[in-house]
Amino acid sequence: MELTVPYESRMEEAHAFKEGKYLDLTKELKKDGYEPRVMPVEIGARGFMGSSAYGLLSKLSMCDNKITKALMLLAETAENSSRWIWSRRNERLLHKD
């Protein structure tokens, strides 16, 4: 599983990129007898949930009530985190030298 927080307009692109990122590793693990699953999850920077988030929680056998609560919490956390990063965008610690 890998969480990505892209702009909402780039969620499909981010999903495809993450799936491709692990393609070679997945092939190698299958060759060694494992059954790997690549599960990229996207939550938009402004809290929009991609269908991948719901799919992941469903695969983890969560019931609908808990999925709804978890999605709301994830959306709120993504939005708050993005707001925090934006508010500190000019601070030197956030930039590579």
Side-chain angles (χ1 to χ4, degrees):
M1 291 178 260
E2 184 171 350
L3 174 64
T4 304
V5 185
Y7 289 112
E8 281 75 2
S9 61
R10 298 188 61 213
M11 289 180 75
E12 288 181 24
E13 180 183 336
H15 187 85
F17 175 78
K18 294 296 180 176
E19 282 184 328
K21 179 179 176 180
Y22 296 104
L23 190 58
D24 290 339
L25 178 60
T26 301
K27 287 179 184 178
E28 191 170 320
L29 289 170
K30 282 183 181 180
K31 187 174 66 174
D32 292 341
Y34 295 97
E35 294 182 31
R37 291 185 187 195
V38 176
M39 298 191 315
V41 176
E42 299 77 35
I43 300 173
R46 292 176 288 178
F48 178 78
M49 293 305 209
S51 60
S52 59
Y54 181 84
L56 171 66
L57 297 176
S58 295
K59 287 178 184 174
L60 294 174
S61 300
M62 291 180 74
C63 64
D64 286 339
N65 292 352
K66 290 188 178 186
I67 288 175
T68 301
K69 288 179 184 177
L71 291 175
M72 289 172 53
L73 182 60
L74 288 168
E76 182 181 337
T77 301
E79 190 172 4
N80 289 339
S81 298
S82 293
R83 188 179 303 113
W84 183 88
I85 291 169
W86 177 255
S87 71
R88 288 160 178 79
R89 67 190 176 278
N90 294 322
E91 291 183 17
R92 184 174 170 84
L93 293 175
L94 292 178
H95 302 281
K96 292 181 179 179
D97 288 336

Coordinates of all heavy atoms in Angstrom, one line a residue:
M1 N 0.8 -1.2 0.0 CA 0.0 0.0 0.0 C 0.9 1.2 0.0 O 1.9 1.2 0.7 CB -0.9 0.0 1.3 CG -1.9 -1.0 1.3 SD -2.8 -0.9 2.8 CE -2.0 -2.2 3.7
E2 N 0.5 2.2 -0.8 CA 1.2 3.5 -0.8 C 0.2 4.6 -0.9 O -0.6 4.6 -1.8 CB 2.2 3.6 -1.9 CG 3.0 4.8 -1.8 CD 4.2 4.9 -2.7 OE1 4.6 3.9 -3.3 OE2 4.8 6.0 -2.8
L3 N 0.2 5.5 0.0 CA -0.6 6.7 0.0 C 0.0 7.8 -0.7 O 1.2 8.1 -0.5 CB -0.9 7.1 1.5 CG -1.7 8.4 1.6 CD1 -3.1 8.2 1.0 CD2 -1.8 8.8 3.1
T4 N -0.8 8.4 -1.6 CA -0.3 9.6 -2.4 C -1.4 10.7 -2.2 O -2.6 10.4 -2.1 CB -0.2 9.3 -3.9 OG1 0.6 8.1 -4.0 CG2 0.3 10.4 -4.7
V5 N -0.9 11.9 -2.0 CA -1.9 13.0 -1.8 C -1.6 14.0 -2.9 O -0.9 15.0 -2.7 CB -1.7 13.7 -0.4 CG1 -2.7 14.8 -0.2 CG2 -1.8 12.6 0.7
P6 N -2.1 13.7 -4.1 CA -1.9 14.6 -5.3 C -3.0 15.7 -5.3 O -4.0 15.6 -4.6 CB -2.1 13.7 -6.5 CG -3.1 12.7 -6.0 CD -2.8 12.5 -4.5
Y7 N -2.9 16.6 -6.2 CA -4.0 17.5 -6.5 C -5.1 16.7 -7.1 O -4.9 15.7 -7.8 CB -3.6 18.6 -7.6 CG -2.6 19.6 -7.0 CD1 -1.3 19.7 -7.4 CD2 -3.1 20.5 -6.0 CE1 -0.5 20.7 -6.9 CE2 -2.2 21.5 -5.5 CZ -0.9 21.5 -6.0 OH 0.0 22.5 -5.5
E8 N -6.3 17.1 -6.9 CA -7.5 16.3 -7.3 C -7.5 16.1 -8.8 O -7.9 15.0 -9.3 CB -8.8 17.0 -6.9 CG -9.2 16.7 -5.4 CD -8.3 17.5 -4.4 OE1 -7.5 18.3 -4.8 OE2 -8.6 17.3 -3.2
S9 N -7.0 17.0 -9.6 CA -6.9 16.9 -11.0 C -5.9 15.9 -11.5 O -5.9 15.5 -12.7 CB -6.7 18.2 -11.7 OG -5.4 18.7 -11.2
R10 N -5.1 15.4 -10.6 CA -4.0 14.4 -11.0 C -4.1 13.1 -10.4 O -3.2 12.3 -10.3 CB -2.6 15.0 -10.7 CG -2.4 16.3 -11.5 CD -1.0 16.8 -11.3 NE -0.1 15.9 -11.9 CZ 1.2 15.7 -11.4 NH1 1.6 16.4 -10.4 NH2 1.9 14.8 -11.9
M11 N -5.3 12.8 -9.8 CA -5.4 11.5 -9.1 C -5.3 10.3 -9.9 O -4.6 9.3 -9.6 CB -6.8 11.5 -8.3 CG -6.7 12.5 -7.1 SD -8.2 12.6 -6.2 CE -8.1 11.1 -5.2
E12 N -5.9 10.3 -11.1 CA -5.8 9.1 -12.0 C -4.3 8.9 -12.4 O -3.8 7.8 -12.5 CB -6.7 9.3 -13.2 CG -8.2 9.1 -12.9 CD -9.0 9.3 -14.1 OE1 -8.5 9.0 -15.2 OE2 -10.2 9.6 -13.9
E13 N -3.7 10.0 -12.8 CA -2.3 10.0 -13.2 C -1.4 9.4 -12.0 O -0.5 8.6 -12.3 CB -1.8 11.4 -13.6 CG -0.4 11.5 -14.0 CD 0.0 12.9 -14.3 OE1 -0.9 13.8 -14.6 OE2 1.2 13.2 -14.2
A14 N -1.7 9.9 -10.8 CA -0.9 9.4 -9.7 C -1.1 7.9 -9.4 O -0.1 7.2 -9.1 CB -1.3 10.2 -8.4
H15 N -2.3 7.5 -9.6 CA -2.6 6.0 -9.4 C -1.9 5.2 -10.4 O -1.2 4.2 -10.1 CB -4.1 5.8 -9.5 CG -4.5 4.4 -9.2 ND1 -4.8 4.0 -7.9 CD2 -4.7 3.3 -10.0 CE1 -5.1 2.7 -7.9 NE2 -5.1 2.3 -9.1
A16 N -1.9 5.6 -11.7 CA -1.2 4.8 -12.7 C 0.3 4.9 -12.5 O 1.0 3.8 -12.7 CB -1.5 5.4 -14.1
F17 N 0.8 6.0 -12.1 CA 2.3 6.1 -11.8 C 2.7 5.1 -10.7 O 3.7 4.4 -10.8 CB 2.7 7.5 -11.4 CG 4.1 7.7 -11.0 CD1 5.1 7.7 -11.9 CD2 4.4 7.7 -9.6 CE1 6.4 7.8 -11.5 CE2 5.8 7.8 -9.2 CZ 6.8 7.9 -10.2
K18 N 1.9 5.1 -9.6 CA 2.2 4.2 -8.5 C 2.1 2.7 -8.9 O 2.9 1.9 -8.4 CB 1.4 4.5 -7.3 CG 1.6 5.8 -6.7 CD 3.0 6.0 -6.1 CE 3.2 7.3 -5.5 NZ 4.5 7.5 -4.9
E19 N 1.1 2.4 -9.7 CA 1.0 1.0 -10.1 C 2.2 0.6 -10.9 O 2.8 -0.5 -10.8 CB -0.3 0.8 -10.9 CG -1.5 0.7 -10.1 CD -2.7 0.4 -10.9 OE1 -2.8 0.8 -12.1 OE2 -3.6 -0.3 -10.4
G20 N 2.7 1.5 -11.8 CA 3.8 1.2 -12.7 C 5.1 1.2 -11.9 O 6.0 0.4 -12.2
K21 N 5.2 1.9 -10.8 CA 6.4 2.0 -10.0 C 6.8 0.7 -9.4 O 8.0 0.4 -9.3 CB 6.2 3.0 -8.9 CG 7.3 3.2 -7.9 CD 6.9 4.3 -6.9 CE 8.0 4.4 -5.8 NZ 7.7 5.4 -4.8
Y22 N 5.8 -0.1 -9.1 CA 6.0 -1.4 -8.5 C 5.9 -2.6 -9.4 O 5.9 -3.8 -8.9 CB 5.1 -1.6 -7.2 CG 5.4 -0.6 -6.2 CD1 4.6 0.5 -6.0 CD2 6.5 -0.6 -5.4 CE1 4.8 1.5 -5.1 CE2 6.8 0.3 -4.4 CZ 5.9 1.4 -4.3 OH 6.2 2.3 -3.3
L23 N 5.8 -2.4 -10.7 CA 5.6 -3.5 -11.6 C 6.7 -4.5 -11.6 O 6.5 -5.7 -11.6 CB 5.4 -2.9 -13.0 CG 4.9 -3.8 -14.1 CD1 3.6 -4.5 -13.7 CD2 4.8 -3.1 -15.4
D24 N 8.0 -4.0 -11.7 CA 9.1 -4.9 -11.7 C 9.2 -5.7 -10.4 O 9.4 -6.9 -10.4 CB 10.4 -4.2 -11.9 CG 10.5 -3.6 -13.3 OD1 9.8 -4.1 -14.2 OD2 11.3 -2.6 -13.5
L25 N 9.0 -5.1 -9.3 CA 9.0 -5.8 -8.0 C 7.9 -6.8 -7.9 O 8.2 -8.0 -7.5 CB 8.9 -4.8 -6.9 CG 8.9 -5.4 -5.4 CD1 10.1 -6.1 -5.1 CD2 8.6 -4.3 -4.4
T26 N 6.7 -6.5 -8.4 CA 5.6 -7.5 -8.4 C 6.0 -8.7 -9.2 O 5.7 -9.8 -8.8 CB 4.4 -6.8 -8.9 OG1 4.0 -5.6 -8.1 CG2 3.2 -7.7 -9.0
K27 N 6.5 -8.5 -10.4 CA 6.9 -9.6 -11.3 C 7.9 -10.5 -10.6 O 7.8 -11.7 -10.7 CB 7.5 -9.1 -12.6 CG 6.4 -8.5 -13.5 CD 7.1 -8.0 -14.8 CE 6.1 -7.3 -15.7 NZ 6.7 -6.8 -16.9
E28 N 8.9 -9.9 -10.0 CA 10.0 -10.6 -9.3 C 9.4 -11.5 -8.1 O 9.7 -12.6 -7.9 CB 11.1 -9.7 -8.8 CG 12.3 -10.4 -8.3 CD 13.4 -9.5 -8.1 OE1 13.6 -8.5 -8.8 OE2 14.2 -9.7 -7.1
L29 N 8.5 -10.9 -7.4 CA 7.9 -11.6 -6.2 C 7.0 -12.7 -6.7 O 7.0 -13.8 -6.1 CB 7.1 -10.6 -5.4 CG 7.9 -9.6 -4.5 CD1 7.0 -8.6 -3.9 CD2 8.7 -10.4 -3.5
K30 N 6.3 -12.5 -7.8 CA 5.5 -13.6 -8.4 C 6.4 -14.8 -8.8 O 6.0 -15.9 -8.6 CB 4.6 -13.1 -9.5 CG 3.4 -12.3 -9.1 CD 2.6 -11.9 -10.3 CE 1.4 -11.1 -9.9 NZ 0.6 -10.7 -11.0
K31 N 7.5 -14.4 -9.4 CA 8.4 -15.4 -9.9 C 9.0 -16.3 -8.7 O 9.2 -17.4 -8.9 CB 9.6 -14.7 -10.6 CG 10.6 -15.7 -11.3 CD 11.6 -15.0 -12.1 CE 12.5 -14.2 -11.2 NZ 13.6 -13.5 -11.9
D32 N 9.1 -15.6 -7.6 CA 9.6 -16.3 -6.4 C 8.4 -17.0 -5.6 O 8.7 -17.5 -4.5 CB 10.3 -15.3 -5.4 CG 11.6 -14.8 -6.0 OD1 12.1 -15.5 -6.9 OD2 12.1 -13.8 -5.6
G33 N 7.2 -17.0 -6.2 CA 6.1 -17.8 -5.5 C 5.2 -17.0 -4.7 O 4.3 -17.6 -4.0
Y34 N 5.4 -15.7 -4.6 CA 4.5 -14.9 -3.7 C 3.3 -14.4 -4.6 O 3.4 -14.4 -5.8 CB 5.3 -13.7 -3.2 CG 6.4 -14.0 -2.2 CD1 7.7 -14.2 -2.6 CD2 6.1 -14.3 -0.9 CE1 8.7 -14.5 -1.8 CE2 7.1 -14.7 0.0 CZ 8.4 -14.8 -0.4 OH 9.4 -15.1 0.4
E35 N 2.3 -13.9 -3.9 CA 1.2 -13.3 -4.6 C 1.0 -11.8 -4.1 O 0.1 -11.5 -3.4 CB -0.1 -14.0 -4.2 CG -0.1 -15.5 -4.7 CD -1.4 -16.2 -4.4 OE1 -2.5 -15.5 -4.3 OE2 -1.3 -17.4 -4.2
P36 N 1.9 -11.0 -4.7 CA 1.9 -9.5 -4.2 C 0.7 -8.8 -4.8 O 0.1 -9.1 -5.9 CB 3.2 -9.0 -4.8 CG 3.4 -9.8 -6.0 CD 2.9 -11.2 -5.7
R37 N 0.2 -7.8 -4.1 CA -0.8 -6.9 -4.6 C -0.3 -5.5 -4.4 O 0.1 -5.1 -3.3 CB -2.1 -7.1 -3.8 CG -2.8 -8.4 -4.0 CD -4.1 -8.4 -3.3 NE -4.6 -9.8 -3.4 CZ -5.8 -10.1 -3.1 NH1 -6.6 -9.1 -2.7 NH2 -6.3 -11.3 -3.2
V38 N -0.4 -4.7 -5.4 CA 0.0 -3.3 -5.4 C -1.3 -2.5 -5.2 O -2.3 -2.7 -5.9 CB 0.7 -2.8 -6.7 CG1 0.9 -1.3 -6.6 CG2 2.0 -3.6 -6.9
M39 N -1.4 -1.7 -4.1 CA -2.6 -1.0 -3.8 C -2.3 0.4 -3.5 O -2.2 0.9 -2.3 CB -3.3 -1.7 -2.6 CG -3.7 -3.1 -2.9 SD -4.8 -3.9 -1.7 CE -4.2 -3.6 -0.2
P40 N -2.1 1.2 -4.6 CA -1.9 2.7 -4.3 C -3.2 3.3 -3.9 O -4.3 2.9 -4.4 CB -1.4 3.2 -5.7 CG -1.8 2.1 -6.7 CD -2.0 0.9 -6.0
V41 N -3.2 4.2 -3.0 CA -4.4 4.9 -2.5 C -4.1 6.4 -2.7 O -3.1 6.9 -2.3 CB -4.6 4.6 -1.0 CG1 -5.8 5.3 -0.5 CG2 -4.8 3.1 -0.9
E42 N -5.1 7.1 -3.2 CA -5.0 8.5 -3.4 C -6.1 9.2 -2.6 O -7.3 8.9 -2.7 CB -5.2 8.9 -4.9 CG -4.2 8.3 -5.8 CD -4.4 6.9 -6.2 OE1 -5.6 6.4 -6.3 OE2 -3.4 6.1 -6.3
I43 N -5.6 10.3 -1.9 CA -6.5 11.2 -1.2 C -6.1 12.5 -1.7 O -5.0 12.9 -1.5 CB -6.4 11.0 0.3 CG1 -6.8 9.6 0.7 CG2 -7.3 12.0 1.0 CD1 -6.5 9.3 2.2
G44 N -7.0 13.3 -2.3 CA -6.7 14.6 -2.8 C -6.2 15.5 -1.8 O -6.6 15.5 -0.6
A45 N -5.4 16.5 -2.2 CA -4.8 17.5 -1.3 C -5.9 18.3 -0.5 O -5.6 18.8 0.6 CB -3.8 18.4 -2.0
R46 N -7.0 18.4 -1.1 CA -8.1 19.1 -0.5 C -9.2 18.2 0.2 O -10.3 18.6 0.5 CB -8.8 20.1 -1.5 CG -7.9 21.2 -1.9 CD -8.5 22.1 -2.9 NE -8.5 21.3 -4.2 CZ -9.0 21.7 -5.3 NH1 -9.5 22.9 -5.4 NH2 -9.0 21.0 -6.4
G47 N -8.8 16.9 0.3 CA -9.6 16.0 1.0 C -10.5 15.1 0.2 O -11.3 14.3 0.7
F48 N -10.5 15.2 -1.2 CA -11.3 14.4 -2.0 C -10.8 13.0 -2.0 O -9.6 12.7 -2.1 CB -11.3 15.0 -3.5 CG -12.1 14.1 -4.4 CD1 -13.5 14.2 -4.5 CD2 -11.5 13.2 -5.3 CE1 -14.2 13.5 -5.3 CE2 -12.2 12.5 -6.1 CZ -13.6 12.6 -6.2
M49 N -11.7 12.0 -1.8 CA -11.3 10.6 -1.7 C -11.4 10.0 -3.1 O -12.5 10.0 -3.7 CB -12.3 9.9 -0.8 CG -12.2 10.3 0.6 SD -10.6 10.1 1.0 CE -10.1 9.8 2.3
G50 N -10.3 9.3 -3.5 CA -10.4 8.5 -4.7 C -11.1 7.2 -4.4 O -11.1 6.8 -3.2
S51 N -11.5 6.5 -5.4 CA -12.2 5.3 -5.2 C -11.2 4.2 -4.6 O -11.7 3.2 -4.0 CB -12.8 4.8 -6.5 OG -11.8 4.6 -7.5
S52 N -10.0 4.4 -4.8 CA -9.0 3.5 -4.3 C -9.0 3.4 -2.8 O -8.7 2.4 -2.2 CB -7.6 3.9 -4.8 OG -7.2 5.2 -4.4
A53 N -9.3 4.5 -2.1 CA -9.3 4.5 -0.7 C -10.5 3.6 -0.2 O -10.3 2.8 0.7 CB -9.5 5.9 -0.1
Y54 N -11.6 3.8 -0.8 CA -12.8 2.9 -0.4 C -12.4 1.4 -0.7 O -12.7 0.6 0.1 CB -14.0 3.3 -1.2 CG -15.2 2.5 -0.8 CD1 -16.0 2.8 0.3 CD2 -15.6 1.4 -1.6 CE1 -17.1 2.0 0.6 CE2 -16.7 0.6 -1.2 CZ -17.4 0.9 -0.1 OH -18.5 0.1 0.2
G55 N -11.9 1.2 -1.9 CA -11.5 -0.2 -2.3 C -10.5 -0.8 -1.3 O -10.7 -2.0 -0.9
L56 N -9.5 0.0 -0.8 CA -8.6 -0.6 0.1 C -9.3 -1.0 1.4 O -9.1 -2.1 2.0 CB -7.5 0.4 0.4 CG -6.6 0.1 1.6 CD1 -5.7 -1.2 1.2 CD2 -5.6 1.2 1.9
L57 N -10.1 -0.1 1.9 CA -10.8 -0.3 3.2 C -11.8 -1.5 3.1 O -11.9 -2.3 4.0 CB -11.5 0.9 3.7 CG -10.6 2.1 4.0 CD1 -11.4 3.3 4.4 CD2 -9.6 1.7 5.1
S58 N -12.4 -1.7 1.9 CA -13.2 -2.8 1.7 C -12.4 -4.1 1.7 O -12.9 -5.1 2.2 CB -14.0 -2.7 0.3 OG -14.9 -1.6 0.4
K59 N -11.3 -4.1 1.0 CA -10.4 -5.3 1.0 C -9.9 -5.7 2.4 O -9.5 -6.8 2.6 CB -9.2 -5.1 0.0 CG -9.6 -5.1 -1.4 CD -8.5 -4.8 -2.3 CE -9.0 -4.7 -3.8 NZ -7.9 -4.3 -4.7
L60 N -9.8 -4.7 3.3 CA -9.4 -5.0 4.6 C -10.6 -5.4 5.5 O -10.5 -5.6 6.7 CB -8.8 -3.7 5.3 CG -7.5 -3.2 4.6 CD1 -7.1 -1.9 5.3 CD2 -6.4 -4.3 4.8
S61 N -11.7 -5.7 4.8 CA -12.9 -6.3 5.5 C -13.6 -5.3 6.5 O -14.1 -5.8 7.5 CB -12.6 -7.6 6.1 OG -12.2 -8.5 5.1
M62 N -13.5 -4.0 6.3 CA -14.2 -3.1 7.2 C -15.6 -3.0 6.8 O -16.0 -3.1 5.6 CB -13.5 -1.7 7.1 CG -12.1 -1.7 7.7 SD -11.4 0.0 7.5 CE -12.3 0.8 8.8
C63 N -16.5 -2.9 7.7 CA -17.9 -2.7 7.4 C -18.2 -1.3 7.0 O -17.4 -0.4 7.2 CB -18.8 -3.1 8.6 SG -18.6 -2.0 10.0
D64 N -19.3 -1.1 6.3 CA -19.7 0.2 5.7 C -19.6 1.4 6.7 O -19.2 2.5 6.3 CB -21.0 0.2 5.0 CG -21.0 -0.6 3.7 OD1 -19.9 -0.8 3.2 OD2 -22.0 -1.1 3.2
N65 N -20.1 1.2 7.9 CA -20.1 2.3 8.9 C -18.7 2.7 9.2 O -18.4 3.9 9.3 CB -20.8 1.8 10.2 CG -22.3 1.6 10.0 OD1 -22.9 1.9 9.0 ND2 -22.9 1.1 11.0
K66 N -17.8 1.7 9.4 CA -16.4 2.1 9.7 C -15.7 2.6 8.5 O -14.9 3.5 8.7 CB -15.7 0.8 10.3 CG -16.2 0.5 11.6 CD -15.4 -0.6 12.3 CE -16.0 -0.9 13.7 NZ -15.2 -1.8 14.4
I67 N -16.0 2.2 7.3 CA -15.4 2.7 6.1 C -15.8 4.2 6.0 O -14.9 5.0 5.7 CB -15.8 2.0 4.9 CG1 -15.2 0.6 4.8 CG2 -15.5 2.7 3.6 CD1 -15.6 -0.3 3.7
T68 N -17.0 4.5 6.2 CA -17.5 5.9 6.1 C -16.8 6.8 7.1 O -16.3 7.9 6.8 CB -19.0 6.0 6.3 OG1 -19.7 5.2 5.3 CG2 -19.5 7.5 6.2
K69 N -16.7 6.4 8.3 CA -15.9 7.1 9.4 C -14.5 7.3 9.0 O -13.9 8.4 9.2 CB -16.1 6.5 10.7 CG -17.5 6.6 11.3 CD -17.6 5.9 12.6 CE -19.1 6.0 13.1 NZ -19.3 5.3 14.4
A70 N -13.9 6.2 8.6 CA -12.4 6.2 8.2 C -12.2 7.2 7.0 O -11.2 7.9 7.1 CB -11.9 4.8 7.9
L71 N -13.1 7.1 6.0 CA -12.9 8.0 4.9 C -13.0 9.5 5.3 O -12.3 10.4 4.8 CB -13.9 7.7 3.8 CG -13.7 6.4 3.1 CD1 -14.8 6.1 2.1 CD2 -12.4 6.3 2.4
M72 N -14.0 9.8 6.2 CA -14.1 11.2 6.7 C -12.9 11.6 7.4 O -12.4 12.7 7.2 CB -15.4 11.3 7.5 CG -16.6 11.2 6.7 SD -18.2 11.1 7.7 CE -18.0 12.5 8.8
L73 N -12.3 10.7 8.2 CA -11.1 11.1 9.0 C -9.9 11.2 8.1 O -9.1 12.2 8.2 CB -10.8 10.0 10.1 CG -9.6 10.2 10.9 CD1 -9.7 11.5 11.7 CD2 -9.4 9.0 11.9
L74 N -9.8 10.4 7.1 CA -8.7 10.5 6.1 C -8.8 11.8 5.3 O -7.8 12.5 5.1 CB -8.7 9.3 5.2 CG -8.2 8.0 5.7 CD1 -8.6 6.8 4.8 CD2 -6.7 8.0 6.1
A75 N -10.0 12.2 4.9 CA -10.2 13.4 4.2 C -9.8 14.6 5.0 O -9.1 15.5 4.5 CB -11.6 13.5 3.7
E76 N -10.3 14.6 6.2 CA -10.0 15.7 7.1 C -8.5 15.8 7.4 O -7.9 16.9 7.4 CB -10.7 15.5 8.5 CG -10.6 16.6 9.5 CD -11.3 16.4 10.7 OE1 -12.3 15.6 10.8 OE2 -10.9 16.9 11.8
T77 N -7.8 14.7 7.6 CA -6.4 14.7 7.9 C -5.6 15.2 6.7 O -4.7 16.0 6.8 CB -5.9 13.3 8.3 OG1 -6.7 12.9 9.4 CG2 -4.5 13.3 8.6
A78 N -6.0 14.8 5.5 CA -5.3 15.2 4.3 C -5.5 16.7 4.1 O -4.5 17.4 3.8 CB -5.9 14.5 3.0
E79 N -6.7 17.2 4.3 CA -6.9 18.6 4.1 C -6.2 19.5 5.2 O -5.5 20.5 4.8 CB -8.4 18.9 4.2 CG -8.8 20.3 3.9 CD -10.3 20.5 3.8 OE1 -11.1 19.6 4.1 OE2 -10.7 21.6 3.4
N80 N -6.2 19.0 6.4 CA -5.4 19.7 7.5 C -3.9 19.7 7.2 O -3.2 20.7 7.5 CB -5.8 19.1 8.8 CG -7.2 19.5 9.3 OD1 -7.8 20.4 8.8 ND2 -7.7 18.7 10.2
S81 N -3.4 18.6 6.8 CA -2.0 18.5 6.5 C -1.6 19.4 5.3 O -0.6 20.0 5.4 CB -1.7 17.0 6.1 OG -1.9 16.2 7.2
S82 N -2.4 19.4 4.3 CA -2.2 20.3 3.2 C -2.2 21.8 3.6 O -1.3 22.6 3.2 CB -3.2 20.1 2.0 OG -3.0 18.8 1.5
R83 N -3.1 22.1 4.4 CA -3.2 23.5 5.0 C -1.9 23.8 5.8 O -1.4 24.9 5.6 CB -4.5 23.6 5.8 CG -4.7 25.1 6.3 CD -6.0 25.2 7.1 NE -7.2 24.7 6.4 CZ -7.9 23.6 6.8 NH1 -7.5 23.0 7.9 NH2 -8.9 23.3 6.2
W84 N -1.5 22.9 6.6 CA -0.3 23.1 7.4 C 1.0 23.3 6.5 O 1.7 24.2 6.7 CB 0.0 21.9 8.3 CG 1.1 22.0 9.2 CD1 1.1 22.6 10.4 CD2 2.5 21.7 8.9 NE1 2.4 22.6 11.0 CE2 3.3 22.0 10.1 CE3 3.1 21.0 7.9 CZ2 4.6 21.8 10.2 CZ3 4.5 20.8 8.0 CH2 5.2 21.2 9.1
I85 N 1.1 22.5 5.5 CA 2.2 22.6 4.5 C 2.1 24.0 3.8 O 3.1 24.7 3.7 CB 2.2 21.5 3.5 CG1 2.6 20.1 4.2 CG2 3.2 21.8 2.4 CD1 2.4 18.9 3.4
W86 N 0.9 24.3 3.3 CA 0.8 25.6 2.7 C 1.1 26.8 3.6 O 1.8 27.7 3.1 CB -0.7 25.8 2.2 CG -0.9 27.1 1.5 CD1 -1.6 28.1 2.0 CD2 -0.5 27.5 0.2 NE1 -1.7 29.2 1.1 CE2 -1.0 28.8 0.0 CE3 0.2 26.9 -0.8 CZ2 -0.7 29.5 -1.2 CZ3 0.5 27.6 -2.0 CH2 0.0 28.9 -2.1
S87 N 0.7 26.7 4.8 CA 1.0 27.8 5.7 C 2.5 28.0 6.0 O 2.9 29.0 6.5 CB 0.2 27.6 7.1 OG 0.8 26.6 7.8
R88 N 3.2 27.0 5.8 CA 4.7 27.0 6.0 C 5.5 26.9 4.8 O 6.7 26.6 4.8 CB 5.1 25.9 7.0 CG 4.6 26.1 8.4 CD 4.5 24.9 9.2 NE 4.0 25.2 10.6 CZ 2.8 25.4 10.9 NH1 1.8 25.4 10.0 NH2 2.4 25.6 12.2
R89 N 4.9 27.2 3.7 CA 5.5 27.1 2.4 C 6.8 27.9 2.2 O 7.7 27.6 1.4 CB 4.6 27.4 1.2 CG 4.1 28.8 1.2 CD 3.0 29.0 0.2 NE 2.5 30.4 0.2 CZ 1.6 30.9 1.1 NH1 1.2 30.1 2.0 NH2 1.3 32.2 1.0
N90 N 6.9 29.0 2.9 CA 8.1 29.9 2.8 C 9.2 29.6 3.9 O 10.2 30.3 3.9 CB 7.7 31.3 2.9 CG 6.8 31.7 1.7 OD1 7.0 31.3 0.6 ND2 5.8 32.5 2.0
E91 N 8.9 28.6 4.7 CA 9.9 28.3 5.7 C 11.1 27.5 5.1 O 10.8 26.6 4.3 CB 9.3 27.5 6.9 CG 8.4 28.4 7.7 CD 7.7 27.7 8.9 OE1 8.3 26.6 9.3 OE2 6.8 28.2 9.4
R92 N 12.2 27.8 5.5 CA 13.4 27.1 4.9 C 13.5 25.6 5.2 O 14.0 24.9 4.4 CB 14.7 27.8 5.5 CG 16.0 27.3 5.0 CD 17.1 28.2 5.5 NE 18.4 27.6 5.2 CZ 19.0 27.8 4.1 NH1 18.5 28.5 3.1 NH2 20.2 27.2 3.8
L93 N 13.0 25.2 6.3 CA 13.0 23.7 6.6 C 12.3 22.8 5.7 O 12.6 21.7 5.6 CB 12.5 23.5 8.1 CG 13.3 24.1 9.2 CD1 12.6 23.9 10.5 CD2 14.7 23.5 9.2
L94 N 11.3 23.4 4.9 CA 10.6 22.6 4.0 C 11.2 22.4 2.6 O 10.7 21.7 1.8 CB 9.1 23.1 3.8 CG 8.2 23.1 5.1 CD1 6.9 23.7 4.8 CD2 8.0 21.6 5.5
H95 N 12.3 23.1 2.4 CA 12.9 23.1 1.1 C 14.3 22.5 1.1 O 15.0 22.7 2.1 CB 13.1 24.6 0.6 CG 11.7 25.3 0.5 ND1 10.9 25.1 -0.6 CD2 11.1 26.2 1.3 CE1 9.8 25.8 -0.4 NE2 9.9 26.5 0.8
K96 N 14.6 21.7 0.1 CA 15.9 21.1 0.0 C 16.9 22.2 -0.5 O 16.6 23.1 -1.3 CB 15.9 20.0 -1.1 CG 15.1 18.8 -0.6 CD 15.2 17.7 -1.7 CE 14.4 16.5 -1.2 NZ 14.4 15.5 -2.3
D97 N 18.1 22.1 0.0 CA 19.1 23.1 -0.4 C 19.9 22.5 -1.6 O 20.0 21.4 -1.9 CB 20.1 23.3 0.8 CG 19.5 24.2 1.9 OD1 18.5 24.9 1.5 OD2 19.9 24.1 3.0

